[in-house]
Amino acid sequence: MPTALARLLPTVTNSDVESPARDVLFILKASPLDDEFTLWLAPKLEAEGYHVFADILTLQPGDRWRRDVSRALEHRAAKVLLVCRNATADDQAMQDDIDIALDVAKTINDNRFIIQLKLEPGRKIKGLGDSIAVDFVRGWGEGLGTLLDTLKRQRAPKQADVAIINPNWEIFRRRDAIPLKNEPERLTSNWLRIVEAPDAIHFYEPSGVVDLDRMKRFAANHPFPVAVQGGGILTFEREDAIAEAFASVGRFKLKRSIPLDRLVQEGDRKLRLGKQPAQNLIHVMMKQAWFAFCREKGLIEYQFSGGSGFHASPAIAAIGQRIPWGKQGDRRSSMLRNRAKGHIWQFGVTALPNFWPFWHFKLKSRVLFAGDNGTANGLKIDDKRKMHKLRRTICKGWRNKQWYGRMLAFLELLSGESAYIRLRLSASEDVVLEAAPILFSSPVSTDLPDSQSGDDEETDLSTLGRPESDAEYPA
């Protein structure tokens, strides 16, 4: 059987956690009430050249937040900026983090490791004694000045010449202005988890001199992914299949089998493949497997600026047909092809393999248009400017739940009765994806309607992707 998900999760060695430099200001807070302050403070610290860690922005979907917060606190923090309210003293999880910070302070011999940022009058924090706090009660601006002076005097590490401000602080600050309700909400994603993959990839070496160009042509035309590398070929195919397929090129023998997860995590010295080139190689192979799967399903392929999109075709979804999706007892349906404003729109996706923080495929929703000439296929549109304009206008009224419903209906077409999508890497090896996107949960929700403006829909990377710019269409 192919390897399971547990093997695909990244492992951490002692060298991984001991090597990073202590170069971040770690903002430690107890409550979502402190998010506004964090989003105000962090970019101002970055403007001064400091590197900031805060869980509100630094953690990504799929991160094991407790593990990752503790790891950053223990191994990356140069200073801990403790946001102090009465809620801080009452929060047990916060106290656990403070205890970790106190242990770190002893380990690195820095009795000023924790800097308290006082946002309201209140009780003292257990374990911090009479340490003096930076006063933000009288004003955030005044407190910032004191904090910057404190960091300078304590020689907190910073970039001397370059200040880089993460633009996402401002994006999250705007989101934070949305009123929240203290009610849980289920959040949907556009990630498909990889649950199985081959244990190893095989390197075959020719026994004599071969024509390199001829070998590349055969590799490109092979029905399964094959990469020319290090004077030979890398593939998931068995030796007998390679011997037969490349017989007219030369005699190939299995030289070695390389554990797939090791290749992705470390690269391979013998093949002179660094970690990033190795990841790129497997990334391309998995995309090739996705392309072959979608073509076999009879989907329509279209080249967008961010990659190939595959769309529902007339053969698998009629105009106006509703495709059912969802669990039994909670079945819903969505259209993947329909008419609007004299055009036919066709829903599809671009799929991108990723290896961090765990192996998954990220989906980007796409919409392709054709002129409505009364046929099932419609009239092909070659003008990319027009295609872009149609996406901005016709899709303007689509709500987020509509986008998500179309994605689930699309995945239902791909997977059928199965809970998985199998992509062929060879005649005997597959990479297996869960057919349902990963679900997350939020402890809070909002009263906002589930809709966006046309511009917001167009620039949402989880839906249409990056809008094509005028520069892509030279005069």
Side-chain angles (χ1 to χ4, degrees):
M1 288 292 292
T3 184
L5 169 65
R7 188 189 61 75
L8 299 179
L9 295 175
T11 56
V12 180
T13 64
N14 291 334
S15 60
D16 290 330
V17 296
E18 292 173 0
S19 56
R22 292 191 173 277
D23 60 352
V24 303
L25 301 181
F26 186 105
I27 298 180
L28 186 56
K29 58 185 180 63
S31 167
L33 294 174
D34 298 325
D35 288 352
E36 179 183 1
F37 175 72
T38 301
L39 293 170
W40 175 86
L41 177 64
K44 291 174 173 55
L45 293 174
E46 288 186 341
E48 296 294 324
Y50 295 105
H51 183 192
V52 178
F53 179 102
D55 59 4
I56 187 175
L57 181 60
T58 310
L59 298 181
Q60 301 295 324
D63 285 353
R64 300 177 182 180
W65 70 271
R66 170 51 54 190
R67 180 199 66 181
D68 292 339
V69 166
S70 298
R71 188 174 296 169
L73 179 56
E74 292 176 13
H75 304 290
R76 296 296 305 278
K79 294 289 181 181
V80 171
L81 306 183
L82 176 61
V83 180
C84 296
R85 300 182 187 268
N86 285 329
T88 307
D90 298 330
D91 190 292
Q92 184 55 50
M94 173 66 86
Q95 190 61 54
D96 292 342
D97 286 334
I98 293 173
D99 290 342
I100 293 173
L102 290 171
D103 289 341
V104 173
K106 294 178 182 178
T107 301
I108 65 176
N109 194 27
D110 182 2
N111 57 9
R112 295 175 176 174
F113 180 62
I114 302 175
I115 301 175
Q116 298 182 71
L117 312 182
K118 187 176 182 181
L119 294 188
E120 64 183 26
R123 305 190 305 274
K124 293 181 180 179
I125 305 299
K126 180 182 176 181
L128 298 183
D130 296 325
S131 61
I132 299 174
V134 177
D135 188 1
F136 281 84
V137 176
R138 290 183 294 183
W140 288 7
E142 183 177 345
L144 175 63
T146 303
L147 175 60
L148 291 175
D149 182 61
T150 300
L151 294 171
K152 182 178 180 180
R153 286 188 285 106
Q154 295 186 16
R155 298 182 179 180
K158 61 186 293 188
Q159 297 290 330
D161 302 320
V162 180
I164 301 176
I165 302 176
N166 190 332
N168 286 322
W169 296 117
E170 176 61 19
I171 294 173
F172 273 71
R173 187 192 66 77
R174 293 176 184 174
R175 293 180 183 177
D176 199 50
I178 298 171
L180 300 179
K181 294 191 300 182
N182 191 26
E183 298 176 4
E185 180 181 9
R186 188 175 69 171
L187 303 177
T188 54
S189 78
N190 57 340
W191 290 14
L192 302 182
R193 191 188 299 270
I194 297 176
V195 293
E196 293 182 7
D199 289 316
I201 188 169
H202 312 299
F203 177 66
Y204 295 92
E205 199 171 64
S207 57
V209 178
V210 298
D211 186 316
L212 182 60
D213 290 335
R214 184 175 173 81
M215 184 166 64
K216 288 181 178 179
R217 286 197 301 272
F218 268 71
N221 292 323
H222 193 68
F224 301 111
V226 176
V228 176
Q229 181 68 37
I233 55 177
L234 278 169
T235 177
F236 296 95
E237 284 276 45
R238 293 194 305 252
E239 188 170 9
D240 56 344
I242 289 299
E244 180 180 353
F246 284 76
S248 63
V249 179
R251 297 180 61 186
F252 286 80
K253 292 292 184 181
L254 176 63
K255 188 72 174 179
R256 44 198 288 259
S257 294
I258 308 166
L260 184 58
D261 56 346
R262 191 184 75 190
L263 180 68
V264 169
Q265 292 181 22
E266 302 174 9
D268 189 86
R269 289 184 179 179
K270 292 182 179 179
L271 293 178
R272 297 182 180 179
L273 265 178
K275 175 181 176 180
Q276 192 59 54
Q279 288 187 356
N280 292 343
L281 185 147
I282 302 302
H283 181 279
V284 169
M285 285 184 156
M286 287 189 174
K287 280 208 305 184
Q288 289 173 343
W290 173 267
F291 292 167
F293 175 82
C294 292
R295 289 164 185 157
E296 184 179 341
K297 289 287 184 178
L299 300 178
I300 298 171
E301 184 174 358
Y302 183 85
Q303 186 65 38
F304 292 87
S305 59
S308 292
F310 288 87
H311 299 259
S313 66
I316 60 177
I319 294 174
Q321 177 185 356
R322 302 192 71 86
I323 308 298
W325 57 268
K327 298 179 181 178
Q328 288 186 344
D330 190 26
R331 296 289 282 177
R332 302 180 184 180
S333 62
S334 298
M335 288 183 289
L336 298 179
R337 302 181 71 246
N338 204 10
R339 292 185 170 93
K341 298 182 179 179
H343 292 85
I344 298 172
W345 60 259
Q346 301 163 110
F347 181 87
V349 303
T350 295
L352 300 172
N354 283 273
F355 305 108
W356 188 91
F358 49 81
W359 289 32
H360 67 279
F361 269 63
K362 179 180 178 181
L363 304 183
K364 290 185 178 181
S365 298
R366 303 289 197 182
V367 181
L368 181 64
F369 291 91
D372 186 3
N373 60 356
T375 67
N377 288 295
L379 187 64
K380 182 180 178 181
I381 298 175
D382 293 321
D383 187 341
K384 291 188 176 182
R385 282 183 177 274
K386 182 177 182 180
M387 190 79 75
H388 178 61
K389 184 177 180 180
L390 287 169
R391 293 204 306 272
R392 292 175 61 89
T393 54
I394 291 179
C395 302
K396 181 178 181 180
W398 290 8
R399 297 174 300 165
N400 294 338
K401 288 181 180 178
Q402 285 177 288
W403 283 109
Y404 189 69
R406 301 195 203 288
M407 180 180 291
L408 291 184
F410 186 86
L411 292 172
E412 189 91 4
L413 282 182
L414 296 187
S415 60
E417 297 297 322
S418 175
Y420 303 98
I421 295 173
R422 290 185 172 270
L423 310 180
R424 308 302 306 275
L425 292 173
S426 74
S428 58
E429 297 280 14
D430 302 334
V431 58
V432 182
L433 319 179
E434 288 182 341
I438 297 172
L439 296 178
F440 301 94
S441 61
S442 169
V444 295
S445 57
T446 74
D447 282 319
L448 286 181
D450 189 32
S451 62
Q452 292 182 319
S453 70
D455 287 345
D456 288 338
E457 291 280 19
E458 180 69 11
T459 57
D460 186 340
L461 291 182
S462 68
T463 53
L464 287 176
R466 192 174 297 171
E468 291 132 329
S469 66
D470 290 343
E472 293 179 281
Y473 312 111

